[in-house]
Amino acid sequence: AGAGNGYLTFFLSRHVGDSGLIYANDISRNVLKEIDLRCKKENIANIETVLGKITNPLFPENRLDMVIMLRAFHDFTEPVEWMKNVIPSLKSGALLVIVDGDPDKMGSGHHHFYTREKVLSIMKQTAFELVKMMTFLEKDTIYVFRLKRNH
């Protein structure tokens, strides 16, 4: 989600191989067109682009094993509503992973990204619970969530 130029999309495409499928989702038609063009140019058949909306990713229902956002979550203007609307797309046991810049690691002047507290505060308003938080990356923190059991 928030595929942007497809940096992670193309990496994941190679990782899942011919038996997997990557949905590259964004609200920008232009970035998705660039991903489609690169797929045609490089003969990549396991990436499908999905034009989403600010509050709804519009992924296909019950198809996703995992949702990954790389440095995109801080740009979501309606994250709680978006999280509600991604749920129908998730298979049972699917994970939602947020990898985002961590201002505590980046020093002053990096207020564009959310603090860990802000990410966790937003996600507490959703149907997701934190499974694991990893801080080993130099400038980013990785948050792994899953749907709460009672959902």
Side-chain angles (χ1 to χ4, degrees), residues 2 10-12 23 27 37 44 49-50 60 67 70 81 83 85 88 90 96 111-112 118 128-129 133 138 142-143 151:
F10 289 98
F11 173 81
L12 293 172
Y23 291 101
I27 60 170
L37 288 172
I44 298 169
T49 55
V50 179
V67 174
L70 176 62
E81 188 70 14
M83 293 298 164
N85 290 322
L90 302 176
L96 185 135
H111 305 291
H112 180 68
K118 173 94 175 185
F128 291 89
E129 63 185 353
M133 182 169 59
E138 184 180 347
I142 302 169
Y143 309 85
H151 193 322

Side-chain angles (χ1 to χ4, degrees), residues 24-40:
N25 167 271
D26 208 290
I27 60 170
S28 169
R29 188 178 308 275
N30 290 338
V31 298
L32 295 177
K33 282 182 185 176
E34 292 298 318
I35 290 172
D36 284 333
L37 288 172
R38 182 173 168 190
C39 286
K40 286 178 185 158

Side-chain angles (χ1 to χ4, degrees), residues 13-150:
S13 166
R14 289 187 297 275
H15 181 72
V16 302
D18 294 337
S19 64
L21 179 62
I22 302 296
Y23 291 101
N25 167 271
D26 208 290
I27 60 170
S28 169
R29 188 178 308 275
N30 290 338
V31 298
L32 295 177
K33 282 182 185 176
E34 292 298 318
I35 290 172
D36 284 333
L37 288 172
R38 182 173 168 190
C39 286
K40 286 178 185 158
K41 182 179 174 185
E42 298 179 19
N43 200 28
I44 298 169
N46 66 349
I47 296 174
E48 186 175 314
T49 55
V50 179
L51 181 64
K53 296 180 180 178
I54 289 173
T55 59
N56 193 334
L58 298 174
F59 286 122
E61 271 193 47
N62 199 36
R63 294 297 309 262
L64 306 181
D65 296 305
M66 181 181 293
V67 174
I68 302 175
M69 297 173 214
L70 176 62
R71 288 193 162 212
F73 183 70
H74 62 277
D75 287 325
F76 282 41
T77 57
E78 302 288 338
V80 174
E81 188 70 14
W82 192 96
M83 293 298 164
K84 180 179 122 191
N85 290 322
V86 78
I87 293 169
S89 304
L90 302 176
K91 291 181 181 177
S92 178
L95 297 175
L96 185 135
V97 180
I98 298 171
V99 182
D100 223 2
D102 188 331
D104 293 336
K105 295 180 179 185
M106 301 169 105
S108 62
H110 291 280
H111 305 291
H112 180 68
F113 295 102
Y114 292 154
T115 63
R116 287 181 206 163
E117 293 77 19
K118 173 94 175 185
V119 171
L120 296 175
S121 172
I122 291 168
M123 292 303 291
K124 270 195 187 314
Q125 300 171 56
T126 73
F128 291 89
E129 63 185 353
L130 183 68
V131 174
K132 183 186 245 185
M133 182 169 59
M134 294 170 274
T135 60
F136 63 88
L137 295 173
E138 184 180 347
K139 295 183 179 180
D140 301 300
T141 294
I142 302 169
Y143 309 85
V144 180
F145 295 91
R146 71 171 169 236
L147 279 174
K148 293 175 184 168
R149 298 218 190 278
N150 61 354

